């Protein structure tokens, strides 16, 4: 167990160092998110959110909350795919799968690192929103719990992309397409029907709803939490199964050592 913990710590340090080594890429990612957020805010995106959550004068805050959830989520679904693509380019992917501990433990270190980096990005967006645009955000325990449950499901979704990356190696265009779909199909920019399919199967939609209810002092029912929990568990189970199947296929066909 101590060996696993030490390796996970080493992966966290490696991943953080790698993230901040490419400062221009890190800064440009933040700038893109800020510019997109600013454009949506000035376009009065999210006005329906105020009406739905009985908080019409605060719809920009509700939109900002959903945008932060989305920024975490797109980072989560891209994580495994990006890790595998990067390791394949460096020629170390096969060695990672032959390590003394299972590959998922190595990914766990990257997950923790990814969450820390995403938190820095979120903090910059929130600071910009508060200081430049005058839009504040309220965070409490329910919001944080909803975020963690949401990310669990989104990481599961990312495992599916990671599995495809093991076989196809390059799935960046698919990842980008999915990120755009999530922005407009998960109640991030507006509020759709409470019974929409997206709310039932995509954790980000349920997470957005619970977080906004929490900051709007609206009732959050046990069924809301249960829906989010079940959706996240479903994606984790399916994602793990797909990633495992793709791993076995890649090993059998000698794809781990090729790019």
């Amino acid at each position: 167990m101590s060996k696993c913990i030490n390796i996970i710590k080493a992966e966290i340090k490696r991943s953080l160092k790698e993230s901040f080594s490419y400062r221009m890429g890190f800064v440009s990612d933040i700038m893109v998110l800020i510019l997109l957020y600013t454009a949506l805010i000035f376009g009065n995106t999210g006005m329906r959110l105020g009406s739905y959550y009985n908080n019409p004068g605060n719809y920009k805050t509700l939109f900002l909350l959903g945008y932060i959830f989305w920024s975490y989520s797109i980072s989560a679904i891209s994580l495994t795919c990006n890790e595998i693509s990067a390791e394949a380019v460096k020629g170390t992917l096969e060695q990672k799968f032959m390590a003394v501990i299972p590959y998922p433990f190595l990914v766990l270190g990257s997950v923790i690192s990814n969450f820390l980096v995403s938190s820095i990005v979120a903090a910059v967006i929130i600071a910009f929103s508060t200081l430049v645009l005058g839009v504040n955000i309220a965070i409490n325990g329910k919001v944080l719990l909803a975020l963690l449950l949401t990310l669990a499901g989104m990481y599961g979704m990312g495992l599916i992309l990671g599995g495809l990356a093991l076989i196809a190696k390059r799935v960046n265009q698919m990842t980008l397409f999915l990120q755009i779909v999530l922005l407009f199909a998960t109640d991030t920019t507006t509020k759709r029907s409470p019974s929409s399919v997206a709310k039932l199967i995509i954790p980000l939609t349920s997470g957005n709803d619970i977080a906004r209810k929490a900051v709007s002092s609206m009732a959050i029912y046990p069924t809301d939490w249960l829906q989010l929990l079940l959706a996240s568990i479903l994606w984790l189970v399916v994602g793990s199964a797909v990633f495992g199947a793709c791993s076995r296929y890649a090993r059998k066909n000698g794809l781990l050592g090729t790019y």
Side-chain angles (χ1 to χ4, degrees):
M1 180 59 71
S2 61
K3 180 182 291 187
C4 290
I5 293 175
N6 289 334
I7 291 178
I8 291 173
K9 287 181 179 179
E11 278 296 303
I12 293 173
K13 292 179 181 178
R14 180 202 62 80
S15 185
L16 285 174
K17 185 177 180 180
E18 194 171 83
S19 296
F20 294 117
S21 294
Y22 302 97
R23 294 184 181 86
M24 286 304 298
F26 180 68
V27 172
S28 64
D29 288 344
I30 294 178
M31 291 303 299
V32 168
L33 287 172
I34 287 178
L35 289 174
L36 176 59
Y37 168 70
T38 303
L40 291 171
I41 281 290
F42 279 105
N44 290 323
T45 303
M47 291 188 68
R48 288 184 60 186
L49 295 172
S51 301
Y52 184 85
Y53 293 100
N54 298 321
N55 203 353
N58 218 19
Y59 76 90
K60 291 183 179 180
T61 294
L62 298 175
F63 169 70
L64 173 59
L65 190 59
Y67 192 79
I68 293 299
F69 268 55
W70 175 76
S71 71
Y72 271 100
S73 295
I74 62 172
S75 181
I77 64 172
S78 302
L79 170 65
T80 308
C81 173
N82 291 342
E83 280 286 311
I84 288 174
S85 297
E87 296 294 342
V89 169
K90 292 184 292 185
T92 55
L93 181 60
E94 190 170 14
Q95 285 76 9
K96 283 288 185 74
F97 273 83
M98 295 172 62
V100 294
I101 66 170
Y103 185 75
F105 282 94
L106 299 178
V107 174
L108 178 60
S110 298
V111 167
I112 296 173
S113 170
N114 179 263
F115 180 80
L116 294 175
V117 172
S118 295
S119 296
I120 295 174
V121 173
V124 173
I125 295 174
I126 291 172
F128 173 84
S129 179
T130 302
L131 298 175
V132 179
L133 302 179
V135 180
N136 299 311
I137 190 171
I139 299 176
N140 54 41
K142 293 179 180 178
V143 172
L144 292 177
L145 178 57
L147 176 61
L148 292 176
L149 290 176
T150 297
L151 290 182
M154 302 312 289
Y155 278 120
M157 191 179 295
L159 285 174
I160 297 176
L161 292 174
L164 295 176
L166 282 175
I167 299 173
K169 295 300 185 291
R170 293 188 179 185
V171 294
N172 293 337
Q173 296 301 322
M174 184 185 299
T175 303
L176 178 60
F177 174 75
L178 182 57
Q179 291 173 354
I180 296 173
V181 170
L182 288 175
L183 178 62
F184 297 103
T186 58
D187 290 357
T188 296
T189 58
T190 187
K191 185 64 187 178
R192 292 173 176 80
S193 171
S195 59
S196 64
V197 175
K199 182 176 182 181
L200 295 175
I201 64 173
I202 303 179
L204 178 56
T205 310
S206 297
N208 279 337
D209 184 54
I210 290 176
R212 285 163 174 162
K213 285 180 178 177
V215 301
S216 299
S217 300
M218 294 179 66
I220 303 175
Y221 299 102
T223 52
D224 294 327
W225 289 109
L226 182 61
Q227 185 171 278
L228 174 58
L229 180 61
L230 291 178
S232 293
I233 291 175
L234 174 64
W235 281 106
L236 276 176
V237 171
V238 172
S240 298
V242 171
F243 187 82
C246 291
S247 298
R248 291 189 292 272
Y249 179 87
R251 287 173 183 269
K252 182 179 179 180
N253 292 274
L255 299 177
L256 295 178
T258 61
Y259 181 69

